[in-house]
Amino acid sequence: MKSHARVVVIGGGVVGCSVLFHLARAGWTDVVLLERDELTSGSTWHAAGGMHTINGDPNVAKLQKYTIELYKEIEELSGQATGVHITGGVLLAATEARMDWLRGVVAKGRYLGLDLEEISAEEAHRLMPLLDPKQFVGAVRNSEDGHLDPSGVTHAYAKAARKLGAEVERFTKVEDIQRLADGTWRIITNKGEIVAEHVVNAGGLWAREVGRMVGLELPVLAMEHMYLITEDMPEVAEVNRTTGKEVIHAVDFDGELYLRQERGGMLMGTYEKANKPWSEWSTPWNFGHELLEPDIDRIAPSLEVGFRHFPAFQNTGIKQIINGPFTFAPDGNPLVGPVRGLPNFWVACGVMAGFSQGGGVGLALSNWMIHGDPGFDIFAMDVARYGDWASMRYTNAKVRENYSRRFSIRFPNEELPAGRPLKTTPVYDLLTARGAQFGVAYGLEVPLWYAPHGVKDEFSWRRSSDFPHVAKEVATVRERVGLGEISSYAKYRVTGQKAKAWLDRMLACRLPKPGRMTLAPMLKEDGKLIGDFSLANLGGALPVNGGSTGGDQEWLILGSGIAEQYHMRWFEQHLPADGSVYVEALGLKLTGLSIAGPKARDVLAKVTHDDVSNAAFPFMAIRRMDIDMAPCIVGRVSYSGDLGYEIWMAPEYQRHVFTTLLEAGEEFSVGLFGGRALNALRLEKNYGTWAREYRPIYGPVEAGLDRFVAYSKEADFIGKAGALAERKNGGKYRLRAFVMEALDADVIGDETIWHGGAVVGWVTSGGYAHNAQKSVALGYVPKEVTGEQDGFEIELLGRRHKARLQPAPLFDANLERLRG
């Protein structure tokens, strides 16, 4: 084993071997993979070997499509057979609700380039004769489903990587990892030491143990997973004889089953409700090519459904039951990317669907390591989507929930209960007493809407029980004054002698003067968006953590709460080494409330001695002021697009400020409003949001944020050259708002936009704008079609609805309310 390498990849499963291959293919050949046993010795060897392109996140689906297309390349390069069988498959729906979901999958496939088609249950039976069409209401045909040889694929990655110059060290157990003074990593193994510039944790079942070597507790948990293999079946032989092909794949979502042919019989797997974690706290290092004891009683309810939906199984015997552990993250998606606070330490773990996602994970991670960017929007897989709140017990609860719901419908208004409540604000109980229905954002309970006694969410693809109540909350804001809880925003304090210069380089905007705020895009080196914030120049006004640096050297950045770890990682990667700039994520050290609506100023004036007239406290002003007895920071800004204020305070003051505002607002009929009302309010202002409209694959011109980019400022801000290039060539797309002719449902995101009879774009988010009484969609379309208002359609639940481009906001287009 060599003593030095550019990269050490730890773990010889399909994911580790994919990372190794992609690094070598991209030109980083001084790379070594360390495997404690033989390749595939963890979860890989006993995997069912299925592969598919379907994923709830379109960006992940793109990488799954890439993974499947990659197998031909690695087979040819390595000379190793991968055993790939592209059989096609059917996705089955036993209920109309499931069929509505599948229609959305088909629509996404149109702009992802996936060959999907809605078919009847009878047509599904013709394609897959083992199923009983009477058990289903419809299906979707997918031409790209298939299966493979897990061992063959893994060895093909490894052999291809070796041919490109990489090295593989088997039977080499990593025992410790240490950070050296020069920033490199010392990896200590049972065969000696190796020093590397980069380390990749692709440890699979042992990812937690590898992470703990560097003080990292990863939110992953192994679950026992079972599938059975039948004896040879005459029905399978008949399909093979009459078609000359294998029996195609089937996914029976309502039965929680997946099926494919295995030699002369069938393989049937299930994600059972009565699931069981494996080795919850630590994984034994001596576990290898072993299986767990089968427990057919645990999967019996699923098998009963399977035998009913696929009657041929009633007449055959079970040859083998495979029970082996697989690792999952709390939401079922992989954990990929650089780890905040551990420079050049990377993770690629929790990849449960390794043969659908392993190639894409390897590509994205190698891009990230070599070029500083994954090349795709992979936030759904980014390890930064979790913070310290994702403890082991939380992970256990959420993984078990996710496993049991892997094939269940997640309705757009459905909030899952496991691991909650965990993080709460000081007013949580006060909001609960007033009927708050909570969601969760970055672990924090956030009020979505307020339900009268006895009313709760009824989960649906269509407008549901919350609809009239959210409408009332919207009316409260637009007609009087609403009070909202906004602590879920991410808050960052920036201080230090060089804070101003650092911000001028980090952010593309022109920095505001003391006492002022501005919208602040943040760009990557290629000029694409990596953040959108509100930036406030506090001039020493922030009432947390004591002390003030004074002047222009104290700043508050407000952004998306779900991206706190993501953005802190970026900030810290770019901090000067001399300690002249300090960035702190405040979290719940700073809590927030918002008042918005035409009477908002009247309420604020009652609770402070400050002059809050428009002349003295104009739009985008920010200052410290007391709200009754509580010291606060108040900004004249509101995501509702109305006259409004964001009020920030230390958590010990939030209850006092909340009750003070409610009492002061009584004469103006103040009311509470939640996140769903805020969504309806921002849509009629054409306001975008991070992770939907604003993503690292769009430039500021495409996203409509170029008016906030100070192209001419002296500071050479990150991404300036790329932003100037986009400004010159115009980019490819434009973010636009549409009003659509909806019936009883509204878009939520990822629906297809048509124009002139062709698919041209996709919806990023949407909903019903109750004040305007319009169904609104925001989405990206090619810049060439934005000159036309008509001729658009948006596909929703299997139907195309007429849509009209809405260039001006539906509310306050002249900014009279906002600025008045």
Side-chain angles (χ1 to χ4, degrees):
M1 182 176 70
K2 60 168 62 177
S3 61
H4 290 77
R6 192 170 198 174
V7 182
V8 165
V9 179
I10 302 172
V14 64
V15 175
C17 291
S18 171
V19 172
L20 189 77
F21 163 74
H22 281 90
L23 287 169
R25 188 179 68 171
W28 279 23
T29 55
D30 183 16
V31 292
V32 179
L33 183 145
L34 306 180
E35 165 54 43
R36 68 181 181 91
D37 200 316
E38 183 58 87
L39 298 182
T40 80
S41 292
S43 296
T44 297
W45 75 272
H46 58 75
M51 56 185 183
H52 55 88
T53 55
I54 302 303
N55 189 280
D57 187 291
N59 300 291
V60 178
K62 291 177 184 177
L63 292 176
Q64 291 183 188
K65 180 178 172 64
Y66 163 81
T67 298
I68 293 173
E69 292 172 345
L70 178 66
Y71 289 136
K72 183 178 180 181
E73 177 184 340
I74 62 170
E75 186 172 82
E76 291 177 350
L77 178 59
S78 67
Q80 167 71 51
T82 58
V84 169
H85 297 245
I86 303 297
T87 64
V90 286
L91 310 175
L92 301 165
T95 66
E96 286 297 336
R98 174 64 67 184
M99 200 63 225
D100 281 341
W101 179 80
L102 285 176
R103 290 180 181 116
V105 170
V106 173
K108 292 176 188 177
R110 299 193 204 283
Y111 65 80
L112 292 173
L114 305 179
D115 183 15
L116 305 172
E117 178 189 10
E118 180 181 344
I119 60 176
S120 67
E122 289 73 22
E123 178 65 10
H125 176 250
R126 189 187 68 79
L127 295 171
M128 205 283 194
L130 276 63
L131 66 83
D132 178 3
K134 296 184 179 65
Q135 302 294 325
F136 303 99
V137 299
V140 165
R141 177 196 57 76
N142 181 6
S143 67
E144 295 174 279
D145 277 5
H147 60 271
L148 44 71
D149 170 20
S151 178
V153 165
T154 306
H155 283 280
Y157 276 128
K159 289 180 180 179
R162 285 194 193 100
K163 284 193 172 183
L164 294 169
E167 297 182 26
V168 175
E169 295 287 344
R170 300 174 300 149
F171 307 103
T172 306
K173 178 177 174 284
V174 174
E175 297 178 338
D176 197 12
I177 305 171
Q178 300 171 356
R179 186 88 190 280
L180 300 178
D182 63 358
T184 58
W185 295 95
R186 175 192 288 142
I187 300 93
I188 301 170
T189 80
N190 61 335
K191 291 186 177 179
E193 299 181 1
I194 181 170
V195 174
E197 181 182 346
H198 298 266
V199 175
V200 178
N201 177 2
L205 291 175
W206 296 269
R208 289 179 304 184
E209 281 65 33
V210 173
R212 288 167 184 164
M213 293 177 185
V214 294
L216 176 66
E217 191 65 47
L218 288 166
V220 291
L221 176 69
M223 300 291 292
E224 294 190 13
H225 180 69
M226 283 180 279
Y227 62 86
L228 62 85
I229 299 172
T230 73
E231 303 284 358
D232 288 355
M233 299 171 63
E235 294 86 353
V236 171
E238 180 63 15
V239 171
N240 299 161
R241 184 187 66 80
T242 57
T243 66
K245 300 177 182 178
E246 291 181 77
V247 177
I248 66 172
H249 279 225
V251 177
D252 177 3
F253 291 100
D254 300 282
E256 300 167 338
L257 302 163
Y258 59 90
L259 303 92
R260 68 168 177 85
Q261 184 173 339
E262 174 68 12
R263 300 185 182 276
M266 292 292 293
L267 180 152
M268 177 187 286
T270 178
Y271 289 87
E272 69 280 5
K273 299 295 185 187
N275 53 63
K276 184 179 179 181
W278 177 78
S279 196
E280 295 181 61
W281 309 111
S282 62
T283 304
W285 285 104
N286 60 355
F287 185 80
H289 281 79
E290 302 150 66
L291 292 173
L292 309 178
E293 188 69 26
D295 184 357
I296 196 166
D297 290 339
R298 204 167 74 236
I299 63 173
S302 296
L303 297 184
E304 290 175 7
V305 176
F307 293 169
R308 185 170 68 251
H309 287 189
F310 303 87
F313 280 79
Q314 299 174 16
N315 305 316
T316 189
I318 297 175
K319 182 165 63 176
Q320 187 179 13
I321 297 177
I322 306 294
N323 186 15
F326 289 87
T327 55
F328 295 76
D331 60 4
N333 277 339
L335 299 174
V336 179
V339 177
R340 178 190 165 201
L342 297 174
N344 292 340
F345 188 91
W346 307 77
V347 296
C349 55
V351 190
M352 184 279 304
F355 295 100
S356 295
Q357 298 173 343
V361 167
L363 175 65
L365 193 67
S366 64
N367 284 344
W368 217 334
M369 296 173 72
I370 296 170
H371 305 297
D373 186 86
F376 308 89
D377 179 5
I378 65 162
F379 187 75
M381 299 194 296
D382 196 323
V383 65
R385 70 189 187 275
Y386 291 107
D388 293 342
W389 47 270
S391 63
M392 290 183 72
R393 287 195 179 276
Y394 170 89
T395 298
N396 190 303
K398 294 305 288 187
V399 167
R400 296 188 70 172
E401 178 185 63
N402 178 271
Y403 184 98
S404 70
R405 292 180 50 90
R406 181 158 177 79
F407 286 159
S408 299
I409 296 173
R410 174 74 182 272
F411 290 101
N413 62 333
E414 184 175 7
E415 299 297 324
L416 303 183
R420 299 175 53 198
L422 177 59
K423 292 166 59 179
T424 59
T425 65
V427 297
Y428 175 78
D429 62 321
L430 302 181
L431 303 182
T432 301
R434 289 163 173 80
Q437 304 297 301
F438 289 93
V440 65
Y442 201 62
L444 179 67
E445 298 292 318
V446 294
L448 299 177
W449 65 288
Y450 293 85
H453 181 70
V455 178
K456 292 185 177 181
D457 266 323
E458 296 174 1
F459 306 140
S460 174
W461 294 111
R462 291 165 172 77
R463 295 169 188 163
S464 189
S465 52
D466 67 327
F467 190 79
H469 306 291
V470 172
K472 291 178 182 178
E473 295 174 28
V474 168
T476 294
V477 174
R478 288 291 186 242
E479 297 169 11
R480 303 185 303 278
V481 56
L483 172 60
E485 213 284 346
I486 57 172
S487 299
S488 61
Y489 289 1
K491 292 86 61 179
Y492 312 93
R493 184 190 193 212
V494 183
T495 57
Q497 293 179 347
K498 296 181 181 179
K500 183 176 181 180
W502 182 77
L503 286 167
D504 217 12
R505 170 163 167 72
M506 293 295 294
L507 302 176
C509 63
R510 197 171 300 281
L511 301 190
K513 296 179 179 179
R516 298 292 298 169
M517 305 175 69
T518 190
L519 294 178
M522 184 165 70
L523 310 181
K524 301 181 297 170
E525 285 83 355
D526 61 2
K528 303 294 186 183
L529 294 165
I530 197 170
D532 77 298
F533 304 105
S534 294
L535 172 68
N537 185 337
L538 296 167
L542 189 61
V544 291
N545 280 356
S548 166
T549 56
D552 281 1
Q553 302 308 309
E554 191 164 6
W555 306 77
L556 178 65
I557 300 176
L558 303 169
S560 171
I562 63 171
E564 179 184 293
Q565 192 90 333
Y566 177 85
H567 285 135
M568 278 299 293
R569 183 176 65 194
W570 181 261
F571 291 150
E572 290 173 350
Q573 286 173 351
H574 293 85
L575 284 176
D578 60 5
S580 58
V581 181
Y582 179 71
V583 181
E584 179 187 8
L586 296 173
L588 290 182
K589 294 177 184 176
L590 198 65
T591 56
L593 298 166
S594 172
I595 52 174
K599 298 298 182 181
R601 181 182 291 117
D602 298 309
V603 173
L604 184 61
K606 288 184 64 176
V607 299
T608 184
H609 289 295
D610 281 55
D611 183 355
V612 293
S613 66
N614 193 44
F617 197 48
F619 180 61
M620 298 302 279
I622 189 166
R623 76 167 72 138
R624 179 174 184 169
M625 64 176 72
D626 290 344
I627 302 300
D628 193 40
M629 295 183 291
C632 298
I633 290 289
V634 181
R636 168 86 189 273
V637 66
S638 173
Y639 194 47
S640 69
D642 215 317
L643 170 65
Y645 305 87
E646 291 179 356
I647 305 170
W648 302 98
M649 71 292 299
E652 57 266 32
Y653 298 119
Q654 193 189 32
R655 291 176 73 92
H656 178 76
V657 175
F658 178 79
T659 55
T660 296
L661 292 172
L662 277 183
E663 291 171 3
E666 281 184 5
E667 70 172 283
F668 307 108
S669 300
V670 67
L672 301 179
F673 70 99
R676 292 182 185 169
L678 188 61
N679 184 61
L681 293 163
R682 64 102 183 174
L683 286 173
E684 62 178 14
K685 288 292 292 181
N686 295 0
Y687 287 171
T689 186
W690 179 255
R692 300 304 306 181
E693 284 71 45
Y694 309 140
R695 302 179 183 180
I697 53 176
Y698 306 126
V701 171
E702 293 175 323
L705 295 179
D706 54 311
R707 64 190 185 279
F708 303 113
V709 175
Y711 295 97
S712 61
K713 73 174 181 177
E714 292 184 8
D716 187 21
F717 59 86
I718 295 173
K720 186 174 186 178
L724 286 168
E726 187 208 25
R727 189 186 194 192
K728 182 177 181 180
N729 63 38
K732 294 181 180 179
Y733 301 105
R734 292 292 183 273
L735 175 63
R736 290 292 182 260
F738 299 87
V739 171
M740 58 182 289
E741 296 180 3
L743 299 174
D744 61 347
D746 306 286
V747 299
I748 56 173
D750 299 324
E751 293 85 1
T752 302
I753 301 174
W754 296 70
H755 186 266
V759 174
V760 296
W762 54 91
V763 172
T764 49
S765 68
Y768 192 78
H770 292 271
N771 180 69
Q773 298 185 353
K774 303 287 186 183
S775 189
V776 176
L778 301 182
Y780 281 90
V781 294
K783 62 184 179 183
E784 291 79 13
V785 302
T786 56
E788 303 179 44
Q789 283 189 272
D790 295 309
F792 291 95
E793 295 175 302
I794 295 177
E795 188 172 354
L796 174 62
L797 300 177
R799 293 187 55 184
R800 284 154 61 178
H801 300 257
K802 289 184 179 179
R804 181 178 176 84
L805 193 146
Q806 182 67 34
L810 291 166
F811 174 77
D812 195 30
N814 296 322
L815 307 180
E816 295 174 1
R817 284 269 283 265
L818 188 67
R819 297 177 179 273

